[in-house]
Amino acid sequence: VKALAGHVDWFGVANLNEAREIAPHAGDVPVFLLNAMVPAEHAAIAREGFIPIVSSFEEAAAFAAAGAGGKVCAHLAIDTGMGRLGVWEVDALRTAQRIAALPGIEITGIASHLPVADEDAPFTREQLARFHALVEKTRTAGLRNAIAHIENSAGVIAFPGFAETLVRPGLALYGESPLPEFQPRLRRAECDVGDSNDFALAVDHRVHGNRLAVFLARALGLAEIEAAGELADADDVDAVGNALGLERRGVRSEEHTS
């Protein structure tokens, strides 16, 4: 984590224990909790400055109360098709407006998840359109500075034009494409990160507008996805480095980063 801290803008983790494990090494990089937290953890999350994800007005109110007079920054999850986490999309705008009126909490991000980006392109394209339409509505309704993120590895690779201000690659961190047809286009990076020889910075050159997705991967895996187009400013789209990405542990990292 220490080696990556200067090269990613966020770290995404699954739970509070993982957040605490990487926090001493993350420097000033925010640590984002990608899963729902139990109520007993709310006060610690607020106190230690981690960024939770909330799926309802009630959950947001609980975090606001746990802030003990301070302001908790959180991201609002919207369920646009995953069916696992988030406020249902038809209720999202009203929920966002209600949360925005709460003292003690600020929604600084809006998130969703792509469940079948590697299987169903028409559904995913329509889902992305719905999500981005909702993001614009919430920004118009008052969340003007909220960042937005929905794309996992398959989304970044297959739908680069829909990247918002943040992307959440998981499997691609290891040089593996969830879309087999893209695998031959991955090659090893030739640069090192910090004083470590174990990691390489990988950049997706398939730029749409001003969007650029930046991955971090093991040197033995992903490097650059070859494609046409000019290289955009790397600050346009941030990358989330997964704390679990430092060790595969025999599971699909997509489950932890999305």
Side-chain angles (χ1 to χ4, degrees):
V1 173
K2 185 176 180 180
L4 302 179
H7 299 272
V8 295
D9 295 278
W10 292 71
F11 281 105
V13 298
N15 56 55
L16 180 57
N17 287 337
E18 291 174 4
R20 285 171 167 163
E21 183 178 353
I22 74 165
H25 311 289
D28 295 330
V29 179
V31 178
F32 175 50
L33 297 160
L34 288 155
N35 292 329
M37 300 294 109
V38 298
E41 297 174 323
H42 289 180
I45 291 167
R47 183 176 60 252
E48 296 172 40
F50 301 127
I51 300 174
I53 197 163
V54 298
S55 297
S56 68
F57 172 81
E58 292 75 17
E59 188 176 13
F63 270 110
K71 180 164 284 190
V72 177
C73 293
H75 289 196
L76 176 64
I78 301 175
D79 186 353
T80 57
M82 183 66 178
R84 183 173 68 186
L85 184 73
V87 58
W88 185 237
E89 59 186 297
V90 297
D91 301 318
L93 181 59
R94 175 58 180 156
T95 300
Q97 291 172 325
R98 293 181 66 200
I99 294 173
L102 283 170
I105 190 167
E106 180 181 2
I107 296 299
T108 57
I110 306 165
S112 192
H113 181 71
L114 300 177
V116 290
D118 57 342
E119 299 174 355
D120 192 334
F123 175 86
T124 300
R125 191 173 291 107
E126 190 265 341
Q127 181 189 6
L128 284 163
R130 285 188 283 108
F131 174 71
H132 289 296
L134 274 171
V135 169
E136 290 306 311
K137 288 180 181 178
T138 58
R139 286 173 174 164
T140 301
L143 303 181
R144 293 180 180 84
N145 298 319
I147 64 174
H149 49 104
I150 185 173
E151 292 201 336
N152 52 13
S153 295
V156 172
I157 292 171
F159 304 93
F162 287 90
E164 253 280 355
T165 42
L166 195 72
V167 293
R168 308 190 312 260
L171 206 60
L173 291 171
Y174 307 98
E176 298 179 34
S177 171
L179 297 155
E181 63 270 27
F182 282 89
Q183 191 65 40
R185 298 169 68 178
L186 305 185
R187 58 186 176 84
R188 177 174 175 171
E190 299 299 331
C191 57
D192 294 333
V193 175
D195 57 2
S196 170
N197 293 320
D198 294 331
F199 296 92
L201 185 65
V203 180
D204 178 358
H205 287 255
R206 294 172 305 104
V207 178
H208 180 90
N210 292 323
R211 303 304 183 190
L212 175 67
V214 181
F215 301 139
L216 285 166
R218 286 193 178 276
L220 295 178
L222 174 68
E224 299 180 355
I225 300 176
E226 301 171 358
E230 296 181 358
L231 195 63
D233 186 345
D235 292 333
D236 288 338
V237 177
D238 300 332
V240 174
N242 178 12
L244 291 184
L246 305 185
E247 185 178 346
R248 185 65 181 271
R249 297 185 183 178
V251 299
R252 286 193 61 192
S253 63
E254 209 77 14
E255 295 300 318
H256 297 286
T257 58
S258 306

